[in-house]
Amino acid sequence: MIHPPRLPKPMPTGEPEALADHVHIYQSTLTGLDYSSLLAAGVILEQVRARKVQFLRSKMPGFRAVDSILETSEFSGADWEKAFFRRVIFQGCRLLGTQMLDGIFEDVEFINCQAEGLLLVGTKFKNSRFSKCKLSKSSFDGADLNGMTFDDCDLQGANFHEAKLKGTDFRTSEIGGLQVGVMEMQGAIIAPHQVMQVVGLLGVKVKDIVHPEDIE
């Protein structure tokens, strides 16, 4: 069970503090704000609801978000190295080519997100899920995805080299062209209709047995 964000009711209104290095935004609603190309380290969002916010090409090393919901917002091209997320929902967001290298995700859901080319190299996930997300050509190289669920996602051509996939559930997702090896797939969960697809991904050829007496 993924623990949901803990948000106050009702959500406070008013003008939030401007984002800058080490700013802590607490119990705020962010709507329609533009932080494109923002350069700020150590930003913290706690109990925040952000809707239609622009973080296009932002660079925020050490970014932290806790107990927050990020809705229909733009994060494409952002670079958030070593970010930390706990009890966060990304709902209907765009994360095209977004980089969140070496991040930590705990109780995080990505729902209906457009995230082709998302880079999550070296990240660690705990109790998290991707649902109905477009993740083609994304990279989870070296990520810890043990127990993760990819529910009805497009993972065509995604990179899972050296990823930990024990208990990772791919059953309802499109995995054509997945970049993954035999060792990585040990312990992963797939559906019966995906067996031949996975065999092909691992470079194994399946051929019928032909007996000499069957040859005319």
Side-chain angles (χ1 to χ4, degrees):
M1 179 179 177
I2 297 176
H3 298 98
R6 301 168 182 170
L7 294 170
K9 294 182 180 180
M11 284 295 295
T13 59
E15 290 296 322
E17 184 179 354
L19 290 187
D21 287 349
H22 307 293
V23 164
H24 184 179
I25 304 295
Y26 179 65
Q27 291 191 349
S28 295
T29 300
L30 312 179
T31 304
L33 300 177
D34 191 347
Y35 299 113
S36 295
S37 301
L38 172 71
L39 301 176
V43 171
I44 301 174
L45 302 184
E46 184 177 359
Q47 293 190 320
V48 167
R49 187 160 201 146
R51 187 170 184 271
K52 294 186 177 180
V53 176
Q54 299 279 330
F55 280 93
L56 188 69
R57 294 185 298 278
S58 59
K59 188 170 185 177
M60 298 193 296
F63 174 52
R64 296 173 64 89
V66 179
D67 290 317
S68 298
I69 298 178
L70 312 177
E71 299 178 85
T72 57
S73 293
E74 176 64 81
F75 305 114
S76 296
D79 183 354
W80 300 347
E81 187 175 3
K82 298 186 183 301
F84 176 85
F85 301 90
R86 175 177 287 158
R87 295 185 298 276
V88 173
I89 295 175
F90 289 83
Q91 172 80 53
C93 296
R94 282 167 51 91
L95 301 107
L96 305 177
T98 302
Q99 300 183 53
M100 292 188 276
L101 312 184
D102 299 316
I104 296 175
F105 297 78
E106 298 179 358
D107 291 294
V108 176
E109 287 191 87
F110 292 82
I111 304 170
N112 287 317
C113 291
Q114 190 173 349
E116 292 94 336
L118 176 65
L119 298 178
L120 293 169
V121 176
T123 52
K124 295 182 179 180
F125 286 87
K126 181 180 178 181
N127 208 32
S128 300
R129 174 171 56 223
F130 286 87
S131 298
K132 300 184 184 301
C133 293
K134 296 181 179 179
L135 293 160
S136 59
K137 303 297 183 181
S138 55
S139 179
F140 297 87
D141 195 344
D144 185 344
L145 301 165
N146 288 336
M148 275 281 293
T149 297
F150 291 93
D151 179 23
D152 195 18
C153 293
D154 179 359
L155 287 164
Q156 295 185 84
N159 179 4
F160 286 89
H161 285 145
E162 298 186 5
K164 297 178 181 178
L165 301 175
K166 185 176 181 180
T168 305
D169 194 338
F170 294 102
R171 287 178 294 175
T172 59
S173 292
E174 174 55 58
I175 58 173
L178 212 66
Q179 299 180 48
V180 66
V182 176
M183 296 299 294
E184 289 93 337
M185 286 302 294
Q186 292 184 9
I189 302 171
I190 61 172
H193 73 273
Q194 296 172 316
V195 170
M196 294 304 296
Q197 198 170 18
V198 170
V199 167
L201 292 173
L202 301 179
V204 178
K205 294 182 179 180
V206 180
K207 293 184 177 181
D208 290 330
I209 299 174
V210 178
H211 297 286
E213 58 270 24
D214 296 331
I215 302 175
E216 293 184 359

